[in-house]
Amino acid sequence: MVQSSILGFPRMGANRELKKATEAYWADKLSQEDLLKEGKRLRLEHWKIQKDAGIDIIPSNDFAFYDQVLDHIQMFGVIPERYTKNNLAPIDQYFAMGRGLQKPDQGIDVPSLEMVKWFDSNYHYVKPTLQDNQTFKLSENPKPVVEFKEAKEAGINTRPVILGPVSFLALGKADRGQSIEPISALDKLLPLYEDLLKQLKAAGAETVQIDEPVLVFDLQSEIKSAFKPAYEKLGALGSAAPKIVLATYFGDVVHNIDVLKSLQSLYAIHIDLVRNPEQLDEVTAALGSQQVLSAGVVDGRNIWKTNFKKAIEVVETAVQKLGKDRVIVATSSSLLHTPHSLDSEKKLDAEIADWFSFAVQKASEVATIAKAVTDGPAAVREQLEANAKSMQSRASSKRTNNQTVKERQQKVTEQMHNRLAPFPTRIAEQEKSLKLPKFPTTTIGSFPQTKEIRIQRNKFTKGEITAEEYEKFIEKEIQDVIKIQEELDLDVFVHGEPERNDMVQYFGERLDGYAFTQNGWVQSYGSRCVRPPIVVGDISRPAPMTVKESKYAASISPRPMKGMLTGPITCLRWSFPRDDVHQSVQAQQLALALRDEVVDLEKAGVYVIQVDEPALREGLPLRSGKERTDYLKWAVDSFRLATSGVQNGTQIHSHFCYSEFQDFFYAIAALDADVLSIENSKSDAKLLKVFVDEAYPRHIGPGVYDIHSPRIPSEQEIKDRIAEMLKYLKPEQLWIDPDCGLKTRQWKETKAALTNMVNAAKYFRSQYP
Ligand SMILES: [Zn+2]
């Protein structure tokens, strides 16, 4: 028979119970014992859901209080000394590495380990951080063994999930001041894996899922060549260890097929057939004669119902080659990246809800597909018919298809991606009309979101105040921030964004083609969850989205007002995109909607417009080559399409929350934004050298102080920073601004910091008259 399997389940719980419990623990409102109990309760609940859905192979050790990579860091003792010297309880040491710990009364002040995005998802993992003489030690009761036993006691036989040794090291880095190449420590780490596998086998585990997702990357030769000896060693344990299912996901592994061929003695290989269905043939051909294929056909990264017909076809193809006993039906990746269950959505309208599938529903899908292949379609006729109906309804729905949008896309010309004149002409006109001084000062967009703003927004959402009352409140907020900016003597003002809840949701709510959930939370990092809007159909803008507030602000402002928009790529990347049309099509639709908004802002007297694209870089495909080149082309095109509808005198800004442009510079330059602000305050000013080397002619605001800390930078500090920047940038190129939006700051420190910033700018104006 064809077995069904899940690679990992979301941990948060139906009502984000894990978030609530960990945050209560951090706030000293929940005991350690109760926190651990809540974790156990959630694990059990999630195993039962999968069991009830009919899943044959249920994962354990996919749970984590903060992050699964951090679990491994602790389990293998890869703990820098700064976290061990205070004798913290294991769980506190764990959280200290994940989120830092400050206890001044006990003399504890440690920052967190570095956290970065997990492949191309919006999940963040904690980076293993190694010392030059790194040693490893397996923890006394390894978590995978404990959780396997816990499930077993509840009558559920699970397949433990562990991160493979090569990926664990390849995803790590040397600690500050250290120079170790993490992969060089593999020989020292492997005995711990051997020990762990033996313990799992002794506890009764028959199979184990070992994730080696780095196989989807272009690998350095040292990493690539590490696989064969490592898995020969683990494979040599024979019946002393569980059978190994090696899992890859988020991309194809065909470029590393020689690695797979060297792993033929492993029990099974899992591949992602949602992202790369075309790899099926080559991977099955590379399998050993007994080796099993785990076919990931249910998307772990999205919220769409699986097309049963297509998925079954893929599995059937594999079965024809390998036979039923050598194929497992699985999710493409862990379901960590999908919300918990559709059952909590009470407000979604029935038509749309019928197209979605969250983690609980996806578990049933996996079971249904396996049954259809094992017992034949008749065994699940009802499910197949209902599914075909949903697919049909979605494909033909008016909500998916908007003829006007499609026609407009056909009329997009190359010319529409270009500003009227090149930068030198534009900047000359902008200087004339905007009349800005040298070293112009501005902020990145948002001002502190005070408690009062959240209270009023909440009241408005609940209907406790009228739209008019809310609008009056927003106007008053705008008046206040304009007054503050006048007092600070900034040069380009912003309206402060008091009306915005979130930089993507706010636009999604004003566009046709989007849907929203009440409870569609997914873990972003630690206890932080996000609720991405969902692109359900062709996107269009029924009415202006931000013009009212910006126009009002411009009308009462004595200085140029900057309009604030979220760019097309960020709107798309931070939503659940459609899976039925290419993302470039969706990006272009967003770009056209934003183009109209940009032009409307200009008509309303807003002549400086910032279009933010913080997600541009994270959308970069994982491997270099054609896919990446294609992405950059359509991503850059969509930004240009959104911003090129204006006159020469209108100034387009863009902001990026990072500063390392080395591998990405030409894409940033190709945006042709008049002014670029970047997050350089914490980085070495040397990074700016790339702008010199590439003879970048446009204006740049590298961020003169770090807004992520409440610390107030002194005027001298900012001056030093600017002087440093002037070693690389021309004085007429340089804008003076903080390094990001000020939404999360308090007013008191914001005013003090901006006062010092404006004074520093004035000092340089006097130096370069
Ligand atoms: Zn930023």
Side-chain angles (χ1 to χ4, degrees):
M1 67 176 259
V2 173
Q3 288 187 302
S4 56
S5 119
I6 306 272
L7 263 56
F9 201 79
R11 308 147 183 161
M12 283 294 151
N15 296 302
R16 285 179 296 156
E17 293 96 322
L18 183 60
K19 172 192 176 69
K20 289 165 193 166
T22 44
E23 288 178 358
Y25 177 69
W26 296 337
D28 283 327
K29 287 175 185 155
L30 189 76
S31 70
Q32 184 180 311
E33 196 193 341
D34 286 342
L35 174 68
L36 298 178
K37 232 194 248 168
E38 181 65 351
K40 188 171 176 177
R41 186 188 70 76
L42 284 167
R43 289 193 290 271
L44 191 62
E45 193 171 294
H46 298 160
W47 288 323
K48 280 194 175 141
I49 288 170
Q50 296 170 79
K51 193 177 182 194
D52 292 347
I55 295 296
D56 302 312
I57 303 164
I58 296 169
S60 59
N61 195 45
D62 53 339
F63 176 88
F65 276 108
Y66 201 87
D67 164 47
Q68 72 272 15
V69 183
L70 182 55
D71 285 343
H72 289 74
I73 289 172
Q74 194 173 41
M75 173 166 71
F76 296 138
V78 190
I79 307 171
E81 198 214 331
R82 52 193 179 273
Y83 304 101
T84 57
K85 61 180 183 198
N86 292 301
N87 290 317
L88 297 167
I91 186 87
D92 294 326
Q93 181 192 60
Y94 173 81
F95 286 135
M97 288 190 281
R99 58 194 294 270
L101 184 65
Q102 267 185 322
K103 288 210 162 159
D105 50 324
Q106 295 167 41
I108 303 176
D109 186 1
V110 282
S112 61
L113 289 175
E114 189 188 358
M115 198 163 55
V116 293
K117 294 224 170 197
W118 180 242
F119 295 78
D120 57 356
S121 76
N122 277 329
Y123 178 79
H124 302 67
Y125 76 96
V126 177
K127 245 180 174 336
T129 303
L130 282 74
Q131 313 301 317
D132 285 352
N133 281 312
Q134 185 66 51
T135 54
F136 302 96
K137 185 174 181 297
L138 190 63
S139 60
E140 214 150 293
N141 290 302
K143 183 173 168 286
V145 180
V146 172
E147 292 181 11
F148 174 81
K149 286 183 181 164
E150 191 180 294
K152 201 173 158 197
E153 262 168 46
I156 298 170
N157 199 14
T158 57
R159 181 173 79 188
V161 184
I162 52 181
L163 181 59
V166 180
S167 290
F168 177 78
L169 292 172
L171 294 170
K173 63 164 191 179
D175 203 355
R176 195 179 278 251
Q178 307 289 298
S179 57
I180 184 174
E181 272 297 332
I183 196 67
S184 69
L186 184 63
D187 284 342
K188 284 200 263 176
L189 178 61
L190 279 176
L192 279 72
Y193 275 85
E194 293 178 275
D195 190 2
L196 177 61
L197 291 178
K198 284 189 214 160
Q199 289 192 43
L200 283 170
K201 175 73 181 195
E206 286 150 26
T207 55
V208 60
Q209 173 186 327
I210 303 189
D211 287 0
E212 288 287 8
V214 298
L215 274 170
V216 304
F217 286 136
D218 292 316
L219 294 173
Q220 291 170 297
S221 60
E222 308 85 73
I223 292 171
K224 198 166 170 166
S225 59
F227 278 96
K228 186 167 183 266
Y231 282 91
E232 268 170 6
K233 201 158 190 205
L234 300 183
L237 293 170
S239 59
K243 294 185 286 182
I244 295 172
V245 179
L246 185 111
T248 70
Y249 35 79
F250 303 155
D252 81 272
V253 290
V254 169
H255 56 289
N256 284 321
I257 205 82
D258 46 333
V259 176
L260 282 200
K261 281 184 184 161
S262 72
L263 305 175
Q264 288 182 342
S265 60
L266 299 182
Y267 165 66
I269 301 288
H270 171 88
I271 52 169
D272 185 338
L273 291 170
V274 173
R275 191 75 79 89
N276 294 89
E278 75 288 347
Q279 65 178 326
L280 178 63
D281 287 350
E282 268 184 89
V283 173
T284 35
L287 292 178
S289 61
Q290 303 297 314
Q291 213 168 15
V292 169
L293 179 80
S294 168
V297 291
V298 169
D299 198 348
R301 288 280 295 271
N302 216 325
I303 45 72
W304 300 103
K305 231 177 218 184
T306 304
N307 184 322
F308 280 166
K309 189 167 170 284
K310 278 192 195 161
I312 290 169
E313 270 169 24
V314 173
V315 180
E316 293 279 11
T317 309
V319 166
Q320 274 160 23
K321 293 182 182 185
L322 305 170
K324 282 184 188 174
D325 293 333
R326 283 179 61 202
V327 176
I328 300 173
V329 172
T331 52
S332 65
S333 65
S334 166
L335 295 172
L336 177 66
H337 314 282
T338 60
H340 184 87
S341 175
L342 259 183
D343 296 338
S344 338
E345 298 304 322
K346 307 296 179 204
K347 286 188 178 165
L348 271 181
D349 82 72
E351 185 190 10
I352 291 183
D354 180 49
W355 305 340
F356 295 162
S357 173
F358 295 177
V360 171
Q361 290 72 38
K362 282 173 190 278
S364 297
E365 289 184 345
V366 172
T368 303
I369 295 167
K371 200 166 165 49
V373 179
T374 302
D375 301 335
V380 286
R381 174 164 297 131
E382 248 174 68
Q383 288 98 314
L384 298 190
E385 280 172 7
N387 182 269
K389 237 177 163 179
S390 305
M391 295 299 133
Q392 176 59 32
S393 133
R394 186 178 159 207
S396 59
S397 169
K398 278 200 184 120
R399 310 180 85 137
T400 327
N401 300 289
N402 182 329
Q403 208 46 45
T404 320
V405 173
K406 289 189 169 80
E407 278 161 21
R408 188 167 178 210
Q409 282 186 286
Q410 277 162 11
K411 286 185 203 142
V412 170
T413 60
E414 203 43 51
Q415 185 49 40
M416 287 167 75
H417 297 88
N418 300 323
R419 297 285 301 268
L420 295 173
F423 176 73
T425 313
R426 300 199 307 260
I427 197 70
E429 286 192 34
Q430 291 161 18
E431 269 158 13
K432 247 187 265 162
S433 61
L434 296 171
K435 300 187 181 69
L436 297 173
K438 239 183 217 159
F439 303 103
T441 54
T442 189
T443 58
I444 303 305
S446 55
F447 272 118
Q449 285 250 335
T450 57
K451 203 170 158 196
E452 183 59 18
I453 293 178
R454 286 194 294 270
I455 290 172
Q456 294 296 328
R457 187 185 302 142
N458 239 328
K459 280 188 177 172
F460 175 55
T461 314
K462 286 184 188 155
E464 289 168 16
I465 55 171
T466 65
E468 265 165 36
E469 283 168 322
Y470 182 62
E471 201 172 302
K472 276 270 160 312
F473 168 77
I474 293 294
E475 281 185 358
K476 176 75 176 51
E477 284 291 318
I478 294 174
Q479 289 164 20
D480 290 351
V481 299
I482 286 177
K483 191 149 171 286
I484 292 168
Q485 293 173 90
E486 276 187 81
E487 285 162 7
L488 290 166
D489 203 14
L490 287 158
D491 300 307
V492 173
F493 287 11
V494 295
H495 77 283
E497 305 179 21
E499 79 288 4
R500 311 249 174 121
N501 41 13
D502 171 275
M503 65 182 288
V504 171
Q505 190 186 343
Y506 185 82
F507 290 92
E509 282 169 355
R510 282 155 185 79
L511 290 165
D512 281 348
Y514 263 98
F516 299 87
T517 63
Q518 283 171 284
N519 238 323
W521 298 99
V522 289
Q523 188 178 7
S524 171
Y525 61 87
S527 69
R528 182 166 160 76
C529 299
V530 294
R531 199 174 37 164
I534 301 171
V535 183
V536 292
D538 292 332
I539 299 160
S540 62
R541 188 193 71 143
M545 305 181 281
T546 66
V547 174
K548 191 171 74 185
E549 290 80 12
S550 288
K551 186 179 180 178
Y552 173 74
S555 76
I556 59 167
S557 167
R559 299 256 166 104
M561 176 60 54
K562 181 161 71 168
M564 298 295 308
L565 302 173
T566 303
I569 299 300
T570 303
C571 281
L572 186 65
R573 294 272 325 159
W574 292 357
S575 305
F576 282 118
R578 294 167 72 171
D579 63 351
D580 56 342
V581 293
H582 196 268
Q583 294 200 6
S584 60
V585 176
Q586 303 172 60
Q588 193 186 53
Q589 293 174 351
L590 281 158
L592 285 168
L594 287 161
R595 181 182 177 95
D596 295 344
E597 186 73 12
V598 168
V599 169
D600 282 346
L601 281 169
E602 182 185 57
K603 277 189 210 149
V606 179
Y607 301 115
V608 181
I609 301 165
Q610 180 174 316
V611 180
D612 285 349
E613 278 292 25
L616 187 63
R617 187 181 189 166
E618 69 184 50
L620 211 56
L622 297 170
R623 293 180 53 216
S624 58
K626 185 173 183 305
E627 208 192 331
R628 201 177 270 191
T629 327
D630 288 351
Y631 164 77
L632 285 172
K633 168 87 175 100
W634 63 257
V636 167
D637 271 359
S638 64
F639 180 91
R640 294 178 64 125
L641 181 60
T643 53
S644 294
V646 289
Q647 300 302 310
N648 290 330
T650 297
Q651 190 166 66
I652 299 292
H653 289 221
S654 191
H655 170 69
F656 292 88
C657 294
Y658 41 83
S659 54
E660 285 161 355
F661 290 121
Q662 285 73 5
D663 56 340
F664 199 57
F665 187 82
Y666 74 102
I668 297 290
L671 298 178
D672 197 24
D674 298 309
V675 182
L676 204 64
S677 66
I678 59 181
E679 204 169 287
N680 193 253
S681 76
K682 275 186 291 185
S683 319
D684 197 327
K686 275 194 206 107
L687 289 176
L688 297 172
K689 197 168 169 291
V690 66
F691 290 94
V692 188
D693 294 346
E694 304 289 335
Y696 186 82
R698 302 175 199 89
H699 289 188
I700 308 166
V704 296
Y705 77 90
D706 176 18
I707 64 93
H708 304 86
S709 140
R711 217 183 135 259
I712 299 161
S714 71
E715 188 181 320
Q716 189 55 46
E717 210 177 309
I718 298 176
K719 280 185 193 163
D720 293 346
R721 192 78 201 161
I722 296 172
E724 191 66 19
M725 289 168 181
L726 283 169
K727 289 184 192 160
Y728 302 98
L729 303 173
K730 298 190 194 94
E732 56 274 17
Q733 235 183 338
L734 190 58
W735 280 64
I736 309 299
D737 45 35
D739 74 347
C740 203
L742 297 159
K743 186 174 176 173
T744 55
R745 293 269 62 88
Q746 303 290 319
W747 266 115
K748 193 164 170 265
E749 72 227 23
T750 298
K751 284 185 192 171
L754 290 176
T755 302
N756 293 345
M757 184 187 90
V758 171
N759 287 338
K762 285 179 178 167
Y763 167 79
F764 281 93
R765 249 168 243 164
S766 69
Q767 297 295 302
Y768 292 85

